[in-house]
Amino acid sequence: MTKNRFLLLVLFTALVSLLITVKVYAQDPAPTPAAATVPSDNEVNLVAKKLYCPVCPNTPLDVCETQACKDWRAQIRDQLASGWTEQEVMDYFVKQYGERVLAEPERGGFTSLVWMLPLLIVALGLVFVGLVLKSWRASRLSRPLVQPEPQTGISKQILDKIEAEIRNMD
Amino acid sequence: MIPDIGLIALIIAFGLSVYATLLSVNGGMSKRLEWVASARNAIVAVFALLTISVLSIVYSLNALDFSQAYVADVSSRAMSPFLRITALWGGQQGSVLFWAWLMAGFVAVVVIRKWDADRELMPYVMFVAMLTTTFFVGVVVFITNPFTKMWLVPGAQDLVIAIFPPLNGQQYIPADGSGLNPLLRHFGMIGHPPTTYLGFTGFVIPFSFAIAALMKNDTTSDQWIRTVRRWTLVAWIFLSIGLILGGRWAYDVLGWGGFWGWDPVENAMLMPWLTGTAFLHSVMMTEKRGMLKKWNILLIILTYSLSLFGTFITRTGVIGSVHAFSKTALGPAFLIFISITFLGAMVLLMMRWNSLKAEHELESLFSREAAFVLQNMLFLAITIAVLWGTVFPLITELFTETKITVGPPYFKKVTGPMFLALITLMGITPMLAWRKQTLNKLLSRLAVPLAGASITAIAWALLNPKSPAISLFSIAMVAFVTLSILAEFWRGARIRMSTRGENPFTAFIKLVINNRRRFGGYIIHLGVVMIALGFIGDAFYKQETQGTLSAGESLTIGEYSLRFDGLEGYMGSDGREIVEASTVLFKDGQQVKVLKPRRDYFVVQQQPVSIAGVYSTAGEDVYVLLVGWESISNQNTTFKIYVNPLINWVWIGGFVLALGVLIGTWSQARGRSEATYSLKNQPDEGAVVGTATAPGIGD
């Protein structure tokens, strides 16, 4: 074995050890043994709630009563029991049955449009309201300041009385 | 025999609808009153004939005449007479006829009641209303005819459904019908569908008046807008009650512990309600200030088009949903009709754009006008967001060929903040006067409600330490609106007490009676706030747990625990197998109620329905579902428990809302016209600025 080759081997070993160390440290400091606990119904439902039944129309998976959905919930339980994270379970369902199983549309890709339009509408709406109010104020300012008295048909006496009553109220 | 009479009446009704449509508009344009009068008689006759048609179906449903395809489809021997009769709107054919009948009824009432009041406009109103009615009656005759029979044809696989016998056809009469969809076999069947339909069809009247005014170019007079407002209120309250009853039904029957699931069919009802609500507010701007005329007409057009769109969604099943129970050729017909209605109305509005000049002037941003404009924008933005979320799965499928779901999280996240903004406005706006309000006066009026709101929020946070900030803000706003409305009642009553020496009770009653529109409006707002409280409880404080028990064991949630005592199975009425659990609910160790959650299995339809066991108080519901079991034994029985705080405020709010509408619309009924005033065409200076009588919802 040449000196160069020996050096390469040492480097390689060091690198692999380092990577393993990093990997170990990056993991949960006290990993729980996966098969030790069976997830409770509530833990299963917490995930199922975020999914829709792949076959029944508009039914969340946690409340769907068909046999198929019971099986899917059992599957989620098994997956959680073998240590899958919530995200992994959801990814699995999306891969198997398509995006329609997600209760909440994804915020990337084409479906980000569903989230963007309402924001845009509100923003445009506020601008529109602002412009409208501004133009209404402008139309008032452009009016002549002195106007003829309106023909209200109410005598000065009555008007004074009303004014007086209004003052008394507050 | 009886069905034949119904069929003949239906066909004559269609002929007369066409007649009334053509004659009314011709009579109006050529000013031939006798034509218009004849059209009116035809309209009344259409309603009478459709009534005969409806009655004949009700008769067949109850008499179990299974020679009729519709009866065989939705009625059955096992069903009670109550359910057999309500089956009129339990399937597609019957419900479209029911729909057409209600619409014809509205039109008939209008031509009889308003004959002298709006004579100039009436021919055009009749034309628009009858055009729509003709479409619906036409659909009943040609597409969803409820008088078809079933025929066996040699060589054909399926039964042929037709009115007249096909070649070599032999009539098939089953011994029993399939009966209603199990989810529809509920007492709510008498309430939710009819009120919803009344709401949807009722909007045809405001729409017809608005289009008639555009056609006749009669937009300078404001008489029609008052008529429109009253009829919108009629349709609106039916739709509101329909929405609430629908929520209650979902809560009782669908077995998921909630009352509003943002299902496409629910959204279809919500959208016209939102635009209708916006209109009921903006129309005040027209009445009081002569503002927003075009906007009002636009809102009426939108409301009516969205009602049609709602019908389209409910009746055609275009967007798969638990409510849509069939798919037929109805879709294209509807889509074309909605497009023509919407585009035609919009073109007409564009043509009259310039003649709809309103007097728009704004004195200050601290004015009721500004708040109303903002509020209208929010209502429309919510409508668009809901519409977008509802149709987005179709759009995605069209463009990317991927099926997606837009579920409750989208609707909650997007519309929640906007609803919260609306509630906030609801507390502020009544404190604002028309034209302008000085900031000092506004702040002095807001001080007490705001202080009360802060105290409520702090108290709430102490009682519910885990509350998210947004829920605390929501609770604060609910308290704020409630207090600001109560302050209005207090201010008014106090004045009466001091100026007239009335006792508090009399002062309060007389205050409401003498200002029905305004205080009716406030009462409606109180109802809305209560409903909001129910939604806040549902969004932030709902708890659930699920567990599997053997007899004697308990499942705990919060301060409650549920003990399972045993399971039994028996046959129920209506062809259902029932499995029922006996459980006892304890609160803090004290027994509060025996609950019997059960699962009904409809054998013929092979469909299960969960009936929850519910312990209900003003503060919260404990809602127990029987989820699963292993044969009929006392072991391994699974329960799901929901604790639904504040949910009962949704139903209480519904009652209060209806009460408010009754009070607010009572005025003319007693023959004494209410003293309302208009601020239109008055000078700026020295006008009734910040009037003491001012800030009423109904004013």
Side-chain angles (χ1 to χ4, degrees):
Chain A
M1 194 181 272
T2 62
K3 202 181 169 187
N4 276 349
R5 278 194 177 182
F6 177 76
L7 256 176
L8 260 177
L9 193 67
V10 169
L11 265 175
F12 179 70
T13 315
L15 201 66
V16 168
S17 327
L18 190 73
L19 279 176
I20 288 172
T21 323
V22 168
K23 178 99 176 112
V24 167
Y25 274 104
Q27 272 176 0
D28 198 34
T32 43
T37 52
V38 178
S40 70
D41 287 355
N42 287 337
E43 285 164 325
V44 173
N45 281 339
L46 217 55
V47 182
K49 201 185 277 293
K50 293 179 184 161
L51 294 169
Y52 261 62
C53 165
V55 285
C56 338
N58 287 314
T59 315
L61 191 55
D62 64 323
V63 296
C64 183
E65 288 172 358
T66 60
Q67 189 54 47
C69 285
K70 282 180 191 159
D71 295 344
W72 276 310
R73 284 196 291 268
Q75 192 176 8
I76 294 174
R77 187 190 303 273
D78 292 345
Q79 290 167 340
L80 290 177
S82 52
W84 290 30
T85 63
E86 180 181 301
Q87 193 56 49
E88 284 168 341
V89 175
M90 287 173 64
D91 290 346
Y92 169 83
F93 271 83
V94 170
K95 210 175 145 197
Q96 286 288 312
Y97 307 104
E99 261 182 80
R100 59 177 302 195
V101 299
L102 292 176
E104 188 170 337
E106 292 200 84
R107 293 173 194 216
F110 188 80
T111 52
S112 60
L113 282 177
V114 78
W115 297 100
M116 269 147 56
L117 186 98
L119 283 176
L120 194 70
I121 291 292
V122 173
L124 285 178
L126 285 174
V127 170
F128 184 70
V129 165
L131 289 176
V132 162
L133 294 181
K134 205 176 152 192
S135 77
W136 288 359
R137 291 197 76 179
S139 82
R140 171 178 176 262
L141 296 176
S142 66
R143 266 175 48 171
L145 281 173
V146 182
Q147 289 213 336
E149 277 293 312
Q151 306 276 310
T152 52
I154 302 172
S155 70
K156 177 98 171 46
Q157 214 178 353
I158 293 175
L159 273 175
D160 285 346
K161 206 176 163 193
I162 292 174
E163 294 267 291
E165 278 191 16
I166 290 169
R167 271 195 299 277
N168 286 339
M169 280 172 172
D170 283 307
Chain B
M1 177 61 191
I2 298 277
D4 294 339
I5 294 174
L7 178 63
I8 292 166
L10 175 67
I11 291 167
I12 301 175
F14 178 68
L16 282 180
S17 301
V18 176
Y19 172 82
T21 312
L22 298 176
L23 208 65
S24 55
V25 70
N26 274 325
M29 289 200 297
S30 59
K31 307 238 181 269
R32 293 184 123 151
L33 262 184
E34 68 277 14
W35 286 13
V36 182
S38 174
R40 176 186 67 162
N41 295 340
I43 289 173
V44 177
V46 167
F47 178 59
L49 287 163
L50 288 178
T51 307
I52 293 173
S53 210
V54 163
L55 287 177
S56 83
I57 294 194
V58 169
Y59 174 84
S60 304
L61 286 167
N62 191 43
L64 301 172
D65 179 358
F66 295 126
S67 68
Q68 299 290 304
Y70 184 68
V71 177
D73 190 30
V74 296
S75 194
S76 74
R77 295 185 189 281
M79 277 162 49
S80 64
F82 168 79
L83 284 177
R84 289 181 203 169
I85 291 168
T86 58
L88 170 65
W89 49 82
Q92 185 170 69
Q93 291 87 346
S95 62
V96 180
L97 171 64
F98 182 58
W99 188 281
W101 176 64
L102 291 178
M103 188 172 268
F106 269 118
V107 183
V109 168
V110 167
V111 293
I112 292 169
R113 269 184 62 107
K114 289 282 167 187
W115 188 245
D116 294 319
D118 296 293
R119 190 160 282 208
E120 289 285 297
L121 215 52
M122 202 38 103
Y124 301 93
V125 174
M126 287 157 68
F127 167 69
V128 179
M130 284 316 284
L131 198 64
T132 311
T133 310
T134 305
F135 168 76
F136 276 98
V137 179
V139 166
V140 179
V141 173
F142 298 109
I143 303 180
T144 64
N145 197 307
F147 295 103
T148 50
K149 300 181 176 77
M150 292 162 286
W151 308 91
L152 286 163
V153 179
Q157 288 230 313
D158 296 318
L159 289 167
V160 174
I161 310 285
I163 293 173
F164 300 108
L167 196 64
N168 299 327
Q170 225 185 351
Q171 194 174 356
Y172 171 74
I173 303 178
D176 196 359
S178 352
L180 274 180
N181 178 332
L183 292 174
L184 302 181
R185 299 186 185 195
H186 184 266
F187 181 72
M189 191 66 182
I190 195 73
H192 165 65
T195 44
T196 307
Y197 285 15
L198 280 167
F200 274 153
T201 52
F203 282 124
V204 76
I205 304 301
F207 177 75
S208 301
F209 269 96
I211 298 301
L214 287 179
M215 285 172 75
K216 212 170 161 294
N217 210 355
D218 177 26
T219 45
T220 43
S221 105
D222 288 342
Q223 171 61 31
W224 67 272
I225 205 117
R226 283 171 214 277
T227 313
V228 162
R229 185 190 153 268
R230 288 186 75 82
W231 280 99
T232 306
L233 207 54
V234 170
W236 182 85
I237 187 59
F238 278 121
L239 196 59
S240 307
I241 294 173
L243 277 162
I244 290 163
L245 290 177
R248 177 73 216 199
W249 194 356
Y251 187 62
D252 287 346
V253 166
L254 295 183
W256 51 278
F259 56 92
W260 185 260
W262 297 100
D263 174 279
V265 175
E266 291 168 343
N267 294 345
M269 273 183 86
L270 180 65
M271 288 187 282
W273 186 87
L274 289 168
T275 50
T277 312
F279 169 77
L280 285 174
H281 288 93
S282 71
V283 73
M284 284 183 236
M285 296 265 284
T286 313
E287 279 186 282
K288 297 294 168 205
R289 301 287 323 269
M291 296 165 111
L292 291 180
K293 284 182 181 170
K294 294 168 198 162
W295 179 251
N296 277 328
I297 295 178
L298 184 69
L299 283 179
I300 297 172
I301 295 172
L302 273 180
T303 304
Y304 184 61
S305 303
L306 287 169
S307 297
L308 287 178
F309 182 70
T311 325
F312 172 64
I313 286 188
T314 7
R315 290 290 119 220
T316 62
V318 59
I319 300 173
S321 144
V322 285
H323 288 68
F325 26 82
S326 54
K327 292 188 179 190
T328 65
L330 202 57
F334 252 105
L335 209 55
I336 291 168
F337 183 68
I338 296 172
S339 311
I340 291 175
T341 304
F342 180 68
L343 294 176
M346 290 305 282
V347 167
L348 203 55
L349 176 60
M350 304 292 174
M351 281 164 61
R352 300 286 186 246
W353 196 254
N354 288 330
S355 69
L356 286 166
K357 270 235 174 311
E359 314 134 34
H360 285 133
E361 283 170 13
L362 194 67
E363 199 136 339
S364 158
L365 288 179
F366 288 108
S367 61
R368 184 135 11 132
E369 288 89 336
F372 267 44
V373 172
L374 189 61
Q375 167 255 55
N376 258 250
M377 186 280 281
L378 283 169
F379 268 116
L380 199 65
I382 296 175
T383 310
I384 295 173
V386 172
L387 178 65
W388 182 239
T390 307
V391 300
F392 194 74
L394 292 180
I395 296 174
T396 315
E397 202 176 342
L398 213 61
F399 284 96
T400 66
E401 294 185 358
T402 322
K403 279 195 168 216
I404 68 149
T405 302
V406 180
Y410 164 82
F411 293 101
K412 284 182 186 168
K413 283 177 188 172
V414 170
T415 65
M418 289 195 263
F419 275 118
L420 194 54
L422 275 177
I423 288 177
T424 312
L425 273 179
M426 211 160 106
I428 299 172
T429 312
M431 305 289 176
L432 290 167
W434 294 111
R435 291 178 171 262
K436 77 174 178 192
Q437 179 80 294
T438 59
L439 192 56
N440 279 342
K441 197 163 175 179
L442 179 65
L443 288 178
S444 77
R445 282 187 157 195
L446 289 178
V448 174
L450 277 181
S454 313
I455 294 167
T456 311
I458 292 166
W460 189 274
L462 293 175
L463 287 171
N464 306 279
K466 284 182 193 163
S467 297
I470 183 77
S471 75
L472 290 179
F473 183 69
S474 310
I475 290 287
M477 282 306 112
V478 164
F480 168 60
V481 176
T482 311
L483 289 172
S484 79
I485 293 172
L486 293 181
E488 284 294 294
F489 278 94
W490 168 242
R491 223 191 319 272
R494 203 185 51 189
I495 290 169
R496 288 192 76 93
M497 281 153 67
S498 68
T499 55
R500 296 167 199 235
E502 290 168 352
N503 70 46
F505 181 73
T506 323
F508 172 77
I509 297 291
K510 286 201 169 169
L511 176 75
V512 174
I513 288 177
N514 289 336
N515 305 278
R516 281 186 285 271
R517 242 185 101 172
R518 176 170 164 213
F519 284 95
Y522 283 146
I523 292 171
I524 294 173
H525 276 193
L526 281 178
V528 171
V529 174
M530 291 175 184
I531 294 170
L533 203 56
F535 273 88
I536 291 169
D538 185 67
F540 302 111
Y541 298 102
K542 192 179 179 127
Q543 296 173 60
E544 64 173 83
T545 190
Q546 182 174 321
T548 302
L549 305 175
S550 294
E553 290 180 338
S554 292
L555 182 62
T556 306
I557 178 167
E559 54 202 349
Y560 293 98
S561 79
L562 183 82
R563 191 185 71 209
F564 170 50
D565 284 346
L567 205 60
E568 68 169 327
Y570 57 93
M571 280 302 292
S573 61
D574 235 16
R576 49 178 121 185
E577 289 172 356
I578 298 175
V579 174
E580 188 176 77
S582 290
T583 63
V584 184
L585 185 72
F586 297 87
K587 185 178 185 182
D588 297 324
Q590 298 285 315
Q591 177 174 336
V592 287
K593 199 177 180 189
V594 173
L595 297 177
K596 303 225 165 185
R598 56 180 230 243
R599 179 78 65 85
D600 295 6
Y601 185 74
F602 287 80
V603 183
V604 178
Q605 291 81 8
Q606 303 194 341
Q607 191 173 337
V609 175
S610 283
I611 313 278
V614 183
Y615 170 65
S616 192
T617 62
E620 62 195 9
D621 271 14
V622 182
Y623 183 101
V624 180
L625 286 170
L626 173 61
V627 176
W629 60 89
E630 282 179 4
S631 65
I632 299 292
S633 74
N634 289 336
Q635 271 141 27
N636 291 340
T637 304
T638 308
F639 294 93
K640 191 170 201 171
I641 311 177
Y642 292 94
V643 176
N644 294 325
L646 304 173
I647 193 166
N648 284 312
W649 290 96
V650 176
W651 329 126
I652 299 170
F655 280 111
V656 173
L657 189 131
L659 177 75
V661 173
L662 277 181
I663 291 173
T665 50
W666 198 266
S667 50
Q668 266 90 9
R670 291 182 51 183
R672 192 184 71 97
S673 74
E674 200 173 329
T676 55
Y677 63 95
S678 169
L679 290 174
K680 273 186 286 181
N681 306 320
Q682 293 202 12
D684 295 339
E685 321 309 329
V688 257
V689 170
T691 60
T693 51
I697 289 90
D699 273 338

